[in-house]
Amino acid sequence: MKSKIIKVNSSDNVAVALVNLKAGEVISFEGRDITVLSDIKSKHKIALQKFESGDRIMMYGVLVGSANGIIEKGDVLSTENVKHQSEKVFGKTETIGWTAPNVDKWKDRTFLGYHREDGQVGTENVWLFFPLVFCENRNIEILKEVFEKELLKQKVNPHQMLLRSLVNNTTEEASVENNSYNVFENIDVKFITHPGGCGGIRQDSESLGKLLAGYVNNPNVAGATVLSLGCQNLQISVFKEALNTINPNLNKPVLIFEQQQMGTVDEMLSAIVKESFEAIKKANNTVRKPAPLSKLRVGLECGGSDGFSGISANPTLGAVSDLLAALNGTAILSEFPELCGVEQELVNRCVEDDKGQKFLKLMKAYEKSVVDAGSGFDMNPSPGNIKDGLITDAMKSAGAAKKGGTSPVQDVLDYGEYITKPGLNLLCTPGNDVESTTAMVGSGANVVLFTTGLGTPTGNPIAPIIKVSSNTELMERMPDIIDIETGAVIRGEKTIEEMAEEMLNFIIEVASGKIQTKAKLLNQNDFIPWRRGVSL
């Protein structure tokens, strides 16, 4: 490690501690000595100058807060001496140019994907079961048990065996069938439940209908079985209209069953099992074939972030995003509360002025709804974020935005809108990990890169979630949930560009089905729709 602290941008007046710093030690940095005034944990920020009350605190080259009193040079920044502050943005002030990275070595690379008739290519081949309303959740759970028991022959859960030994008051292990296999080789069967579709406001049901339509249209889905009660807000007609809006030429099997029109539960479930099984058998005939990297649509997510996320994992994702943009692939940057403070840069990167205005309109409407609910974007950092050095929303946002790289913003999407343009897309979602990931997949992402510094097990029913740790220690502590780590960047052993190339190779392996993500191995299938205005 070359230095104990790092300044992310030349205009910053604070730095990040790369190791624990002790009060009284003297650090040589940029040709001058800095005396550390108090113990500073790694990932936290040290003042490079003396701040008077109200002085602007800059990091990543943007305003991330202001001094809440005097902060001496060499002291630690905390929630007590720093308050959230960000720049006000009204529109585009300049057009930011972009020099695309050299992608000659990637132009002829391919991944093995599932080709759909509309030209999209999936990284998975999934038959999806879901309800239009929570009243059908029980029937979905019954179908899940039936199909998983017969289509997935799986060994007994080791924790079940542990409980069995405790119940029987013995340490002897029961005989367990160690092999597990799928009846069908080329298709997975997945199930979604949710608490929506009725009650609440009609707009929430309509929004859910768009989200579910996006899941059906996602190239990772071969077809779907949809359950409806009949009287709910999210009517079959509303769902079909949403599906037609996204893709009027959709040519996938979508089997819809309405309980109030079918009689008994037994009669309905019997019909569902028979018809779905026949459709699944046909979908199993689809096999992986080579596809150009331009068919990759990568969601960019962060959760359980730490003070290193913005200088290792997130910039690596940004470099991957730029590679994809140069290859005519697609990247999706979401989590609008975590773009607070970097709006000006993103607006200036929009290729069309109206896209920049749409972004600002969505941001302002979202922030107003949060304020009206008695909160604010400044409440976004979680206790875990703060403990690991992300003490203001703008500071967290400036690091989170690094996932989007430097390429032009080609499109801005509201929640539930589907991708139509390659390159970098901004998607309005909460910062909540699962709500955001759920939304990006609903907008067409066929794989998601998910950075974390503290660790999170999040997965998705239809898209592989590649978990990227910002530091090596997390990978060593939680190897069952982390797929790839970027600690070598912190140690100065690899550049961001080198790490990005390693990550793109990893994505290709996952997209081709050659590597199973840890979330998939754990059968982690998270799905949370957004009820707008009540989530950060």
Side-chain angles (χ1 to χ4, degrees):
M1 187 175 293
K2 297 179 180 180
S3 176
K4 291 185 176 182
I5 64 176
I6 184 174
K7 189 165 74 172
V8 183
N9 186 281
S10 60
S11 64
D12 293 352
N13 49 25
V14 299
V16 183
L18 298 176
V19 296
N20 292 336
L21 305 176
K22 290 291 185 182
E25 72 173 291
V26 179
I27 300 172
S28 179
F29 184 71
E30 293 187 338
R32 53 184 176 148
D33 289 341
I34 300 174
T35 301
V36 180
L37 299 184
S38 56
D39 290 347
I40 301 177
K41 293 181 179 180
S42 69
K43 308 178 186 180
H44 284 257
K45 316 303 180 288
I46 182 173
L48 297 179
Q49 66 176 54
K50 180 178 179 179
F51 292 94
E52 302 288 345
S53 181
D55 282 354
R56 292 158 60 92
I57 295 171
M58 305 294 291
M59 188 175 174
Y60 299 99
V62 299
L63 178 67
V64 297
S66 61
N68 191 27
I70 295 175
I71 306 174
E72 298 290 347
K73 178 182 175 181
D75 212 348
V76 64
L77 274 63
S78 68
T79 53
E80 286 74 32
N81 60 22
V82 176
K83 60 183 178 181
H84 168 81
Q85 186 176 340
S86 61
E87 302 283 8
K88 297 296 182 182
V89 181
F90 302 98
K92 197 169 187 177
T93 58
E94 63 176 315
T95 298
I96 298 178
W98 183 57
T99 301
N102 188 311
V103 291
D104 289 344
K105 65 186 294 184
W106 302 99
K107 284 183 178 178
D108 296 326
R109 290 288 300 276
T110 60
F111 70 98
L112 297 175
Y114 295 96
H115 293 247
R116 307 303 180 191
E117 291 188 14
D118 60 3
Q120 297 186 95
V121 179
T123 63
E124 302 277 355
N125 195 36
V126 176
W127 187 274
L128 187 62
F129 286 78
F130 63 85
L132 293 182
V133 61
F134 58 81
C135 306
E136 293 298 321
N137 281 346
R138 175 182 176 274
N139 289 329
I140 290 289
E141 294 291 352
I142 292 173
L143 291 166
K144 182 174 187 281
E145 181 181 10
V146 169
F147 275 86
E148 287 189 346
K149 279 186 175 180
E150 294 306 315
L151 298 187
L152 178 60
K153 306 296 185 180
Q154 197 169 33
K155 63 182 179 181
V156 179
N157 188 305
H159 301 103
Q160 181 181 341
M161 296 306 301
L162 172 61
L163 179 58
R164 185 177 299 174
S165 69
L166 294 172
V167 170
N168 295 332
N169 195 27
T170 176
T171 58
E172 295 181 8
E173 293 187 5
S175 175
V176 179
E177 186 72 24
N178 288 321
N179 63 311
S180 62
Y181 64 92
N182 288 334
V183 172
F184 294 121
E185 182 180 358
N186 297 316
I187 193 162
D188 289 326
V189 181
K190 296 289 185 177
F191 302 81
I192 285 174
T193 58
H194 58 78
C198 204
I201 58 176
R202 293 293 177 92
Q203 289 92 329
D204 278 337
S205 292
E206 292 170 359
S207 179
L208 176 60
K210 292 178 181 178
L211 179 69
L212 293 171
Y215 269 67
V216 172
N217 194 59
N218 189 291
N220 290 1
V221 171
T225 297
V226 183
L227 274 61
S228 167
L229 178 60
C231 56
Q232 72 273 359
N233 284 342
L234 180 46
Q235 289 284 294
I236 292 174
S237 59
V238 174
F239 168 69
K240 285 184 173 179
E241 182 179 350
L243 198 55
N244 184 67
T245 298
I246 289 176
N247 190 349
N249 299 312
L250 183 73
N251 191 18
K252 289 182 183 179
V254 181
L255 311 179
I256 302 178
F257 300 87
E258 188 160 273
Q259 185 172 0
Q260 290 173 346
Q261 300 296 321
M262 297 189 70
T264 68
V265 171
D266 178 66
E267 290 172 330
M268 181 179 73
L269 292 180
S270 295
I272 291 172
V273 169
K274 290 177 183 177
E275 293 184 39
S276 298
F277 179 70
E278 290 302 318
I280 291 168
K281 280 201 302 183
K282 291 180 181 178
N284 184 58
N285 294 327
T286 305
V287 298
R288 293 182 181 272
K289 296 178 181 178
L293 300 188
S294 61
K295 294 298 183 179
L296 288 173
R297 290 174 169 175
V298 178
L300 307 167
E301 180 67 28
C302 58
S305 299
D306 70 348
F308 284 165
S309 293
I311 58 179
S312 60
N314 290 349
T316 298
L317 263 62
V320 171
S321 172
D322 286 348
L323 289 172
L324 287 171
L327 290 163
N328 209 37
T330 304
I332 309 171
L333 182 63
S334 58
E335 303 178 286
F336 272 27
E338 298 182 9
L339 299 180
C340 176
V342 294
E343 295 99 328
Q344 190 66 70
E345 177 197 339
L346 291 172
V347 168
N348 289 347
R349 285 167 60 186
C350 287
V351 294
E352 298 174 5
D353 290 350
D354 64 329
K355 300 300 182 185
Q357 288 301 317
K358 180 178 180 180
F359 169 60
L360 290 179
K361 182 179 179 181
L362 289 171
M363 283 287 287
K364 291 175 181 177
Y366 190 173
E367 186 169 21
K368 181 179 184 302
S369 70
V370 175
V371 171
D372 289 346
S375 186
F377 279 178
D378 60 309
M379 300 297 291
N380 179 253
S382 70
N385 295 149
I386 294 169
K387 182 180 178 182
D388 262 42
L390 301 177
I391 59 174
T392 73
D393 182 56
M395 185 180 291
K396 181 180 178 182
S397 297
K402 292 297 180 183
K403 301 191 302 292
T406 59
S407 70
V409 175
Q410 300 294 337
D411 207 355
V412 176
L413 307 175
D414 197 0
Y415 182 82
E417 292 184 321
Y418 204 84
I419 294 167
T420 61
K421 296 181 180 180
L424 181 63
N425 286 246
L426 304 182
L427 173 64
C428 184
T429 77
N432 177 286
D433 306 351
V434 179
E435 287 176 313
S436 176
T437 302
T438 296
M440 286 192 290
V441 175
S443 289
N446 55 13
V447 63
V448 176
L449 291 174
F450 191 127
T451 70
T452 182
L454 305 176
T456 173
T458 303
N460 185 268
I462 69 169
I465 309 295
I466 299 173
K467 219 64 61 58
V468 183
S469 68
S470 68
N471 59 88
T472 303
E473 291 75 16
L474 176 59
M475 178 72 156
E476 294 172 344
R477 187 172 67 252
M478 305 179 79
D480 58 328
I481 68 169
I482 300 298
D483 296 289
I484 187 170
E485 55 101 358
T486 58
V489 173
I490 299 295
R491 295 189 298 274
E493 298 168 2
K494 291 182 181 178
T495 66
I496 293 293
E497 291 72 25
E498 289 170 339
M499 196 73 244
E501 292 200 351
E502 182 179 325
M503 192 165 295
L504 184 51
N505 276 315
F506 191 87
I507 293 170
I508 293 169
E509 293 294 290
V510 170
S512 300
K514 295 179 180 179
I515 294 178
Q516 298 294 308
T517 63
K518 300 296 178 62
K520 185 171 183 178
L521 291 173
L522 290 172
N523 200 29
Q524 185 90 22
N525 300 308
D526 300 310
F527 179 85
I528 302 180
W530 180 23
R531 290 190 173 186
R532 298 192 72 156
V534 295
S535 181
L536 279 173

